[in-house]
Amino acid sequence: MGISRNIKVLTTAAELRAESARLLALGGASQALVPTMGALHEGHAALARTAVEENDLVVATIFVNPLQFGEAADLDRYPRTLDADLALLAEQGVQLAFVPELEEIYPGGEPLVRVTSGPLGDAWEGASRPGHFDGALTVVAKLLHYGLPGQGQAAYRAYFGQKDAQQLALVRRMVADLNFPVEIVGVPTVRSADGLALSSRNRFLSGEERTAALVLSRALRLLESRADAHELLDLESARAMVESEPLVELDYFDVVDPLTLKPLAGNQRDAPFRGGGLALIAGRVGPVRLIDNVPLSS
Ligand code: PAF
């Protein structure tokens, strides 16, 4: 699997199906989908790179999905950087980019029937972004169908960032609960040298806000080091650390089961840490809502 600097841009599902079938027929045994909304950064590059390493044919999608935005203003200000995005994907060796217009994905307007994310979609991020995960899962379901290789033609995998832990958990549940023939692969979060998790939203932070935002990853690292040392997690002191940063408005900070995202029971968090878990954090910093998480090993 050599790195090719060529990427072919396709705008319709019919073109995507024909082109991926043609390329696979040349001898590919696996096909991957990397769904994105563009505004790509090193975190997306890691997704694409992993997909390229593990598969013969990689399709990345770039589509800003209106269904998962609450306010029109958020959708309008979502950065559109198509040329740079295509260059980044080509650099990783992605062969096909599916960049559909709105009408291709939602012909005749928004779909009447949608995927419902259920109680898992109402918690954490869902509590402050009602409908967000229904919208995200609906488009992910459609994209997974568009990227499906022809019958028996190849193994099929799709790549999602662990940074969006709730989205990843929901996509895994959707695929399991609704029998999608695809393996979901979670790719570890990419951070700047100072610890900030990469996000397309970081560009909206001022210098001062960016420095303040570092408290989120610092607090997660604190829990991680306590978990690694099998100490008490002492979530309260980690929370207090975040709350002492005046530019950060903490929304939630908790330790949850990695699959169900339910908070760990009191006896698991109040004793020296032994079991696996996931620490989730979210807060508003200036104009931006930031999320981050870290797996806590056993
Ligand atoms: O994580 C994202 O960028 C989006 O939620 C996704 C998965 C591409 C669906 O629009």
Side-chain angles (χ1 to χ4, degrees), residues 13 23-24 32 80 110 182 191 200 220 223 229 241 256 267 293 296:
L23 290 176
L24 277 183
R80 270 84 168 169
E110 293 195 350
V182 60
R191 299 177 181 281
S200 310
L220 289 173
L223 288 193
M241 180 173 136
V256 301
N267 57 358
N293 67 83
L296 303 178

Side-chain angles (χ1 to χ4, degrees), residues 34-38 44 61 63-65 68 78 132 135-137 139-140 143 160-161 164 167 171:
V34 182
T36 82
M37 296 206 299
H44 299 102
T61 71
F63 177 66
V64 184
N65 173 34
Q68 66 189 82
Y78 193 85
H132 166 71
L137 286 185
V139 84
V140 169
L143 295 171
F160 293 85
D164 293 307
Q167 172 173 276
V171 169

Side-chain angles (χ1 to χ4, degrees), residues 7-198:
I7 188 164
K8 193 159 190 177
V9 180
L10 309 161
T11 55
T12 68
E15 283 172 345
L16 173 61
R17 222 174 357 257
E19 191 56 18
S20 57
R22 189 184 73 77
L23 290 176
L24 277 183
L26 300 176
S30 54
Q31 178 162 326
L33 189 82
V34 182
T36 82
M37 296 206 299
L40 304 185
H41 50 65
E42 263 308 303
H44 299 102
L47 288 183
R49 223 167 19 244
T50 310
V52 167
E53 278 161 18
E54 297 178 354
N55 300 277
D56 295 318
L57 176 61
V58 177
V59 179
T61 71
I62 300 178
F63 177 66
V64 184
N65 173 34
L67 248 51
Q68 66 189 82
F69 286 83
E71 290 169 23
D74 280 347
L75 175 62
D76 290 346
R77 83 172 180 158
Y78 193 85
R80 270 84 168 169
T81 56
L82 184 59
D83 290 346
D85 293 346
L86 293 174
L88 178 142
L89 293 170
E91 190 66 26
Q92 313 314 314
V94 171
Q95 294 102 325
L96 300 180
F98 180 46
V99 188
E101 295 289 341
L102 188 62
E103 183 62 20
E104 178 69 17
I105 301 289
Y106 301 123
E110 293 195 350
L112 289 179
V113 177
R114 303 180 185 205
V115 176
T116 304
S117 55
L120 182 51
D122 294 335
W124 310 119
E125 281 310 284
S128 51
R129 304 178 70 190
H132 166 71
F133 287 115
D134 291 2
L137 286 185
T138 300
V139 84
V140 169
K142 290 178 70 100
L143 295 171
L144 288 173
H145 288 137
Y146 293 134
L148 187 65
Q151 192 89 48
Q153 219 186 349
Y156 186 31
R157 304 188 181 96
Y159 291 74
F160 293 85
Q162 289 175 3
K163 156 122 186 330
D164 293 307
Q166 191 171 4
Q167 172 173 276
L168 177 58
L170 280 162
V171 169
R172 286 192 196 286
R173 281 311 303 233
M174 174 176 77
V175 162
D177 290 351
L178 303 181
N179 301 82
F180 282 49
V182 60
E183 179 192 340
I184 300 301
V185 182
V187 177
T189 303
V190 178
R191 299 177 181 281
S192 323
D194 57 12
L196 189 68
L198 297 194

